[in-house]
Amino acid sequence: MIEKIVPEILTREAFAPFGDVIEVDDNRQHFTINDGFTERYHDLAKVDVEKNNGRTLINIFRSTPLAQPIAIKMMERHPLSSQAFIPLGNEPYLVVVAPKGELDLAAIEVFIAQSNQGVNYHAGTWHHYCLALHQRSDFLVVDRGGEGDNCDVVELDGNKMIAAQ
Ligand SMILES: NC(=O)N[C@@H](O)C(=O)O
Ligand code: NI
């Protein structure tokens, strides 16, 4: 039986079980620097890469949209580190996540993120790989390099689909 999931709007609160939302938010800590010409929105996401002699990687992912409606055919997690995606263009994108621990298919959530919102998956958060939505999109990605197997992947049957956007 096919289940259509309608993406929910990405908010810091809704995403809290999975990680951080990286965006300008005047409710978060911010202060003026650089002679008053810059406002610093401070410490927005927990970068966690040090386990097992890890180091920070800064990457760019150039992602091509999958055909819609998208079937969720995989989920993965990085047990040793966080992984952040910050869009470099003006396109919205999709975020598919499930809580840490044993993968619970019933707990899969789908968010639509706007181009001014980044996400940072905490270590162990299940997620689908990077999902551009309408056109090829670049993302700045901050994650971990180093020893150890840092990617558990589960193949799914694709019965959960994301309602076309
Ligand atoms: N494989 C890889 O580096 N990317 C995935 O982890 C992803 O979440 O897109
Ligand atoms: Ni990943």
Side-chain angles (χ1 to χ4, degrees):
M1 189 264 284
I2 298 293
E3 176 192 353
K4 277 269 176 86
I5 303 175
V6 177
E8 55 189 290
I9 291 173
L10 180 68
T11 66
R12 181 182 169 214
E13 296 73 18
F15 198 71
F18 311 108
D20 313 292
V21 174
I22 302 164
E23 62 182 339
V24 169
D25 178 349
D26 286 322
N27 297 316
R28 307 289 302 276
Q29 183 185 10
H30 63 95
F31 43 91
T32 303
I33 57 173
N34 301 347
D35 299 331
F37 289 94
T38 299
E39 191 69 10
R40 177 176 172 135
Y41 289 81
H42 184 69
D43 195 14
L44 296 175
K46 177 174 177 282
V47 179
D48 168 15
V49 296
E50 286 83 21
K51 288 187 192 75
N52 203 8
N53 296 317
R55 66 185 182 88
T56 306
L57 300 180
I58 292 185
N59 321 278
I60 290 177
F61 284 21
R62 176 161 287 177
S63 294
T64 299
L66 277 64
Q68 293 200 62
I70 296 169
I72 302 172
K73 294 184 176 176
M74 65 79 71
M75 292 289 276
E76 64 174 43
R77 66 179 173 187
H78 308 300
L80 301 178
S81 73
S82 58
Q83 186 177 44
F85 291 82
I86 297 104
L88 295 178
N90 299 312
E91 285 297 314
Y93 61 105
L94 293 171
V95 176
V96 181
V97 288
K100 303 171 189 170
E102 187 174 345
L103 178 58
D104 175 2
L105 299 184
I108 289 178
E109 294 195 37
V110 179
F111 293 92
I112 186 161
Q114 299 306 312
S115 61
N116 64 332
Q117 296 180 302
V119 291
N120 180 53
Y121 304 131
H122 287 171
T125 288
W126 288 99
H127 57 280
H128 193 286
Y129 59 66
C130 184
L131 285 172
L133 183 53
H134 298 311
Q135 53 185 295
R136 189 180 74 180
S137 304
D138 288 352
F139 297 84
L140 182 74
V141 177
V142 181
D143 59 11
R144 175 188 178 274
E147 299 148 21
D149 181 2
N150 191 28
C151 190
D152 302 332
V153 182
V154 172
E155 302 298 330
L156 303 179
D157 59 15
N159 284 344
K160 285 183 181 287
M161 301 194 76
I162 303 172
Q165 296 298 304

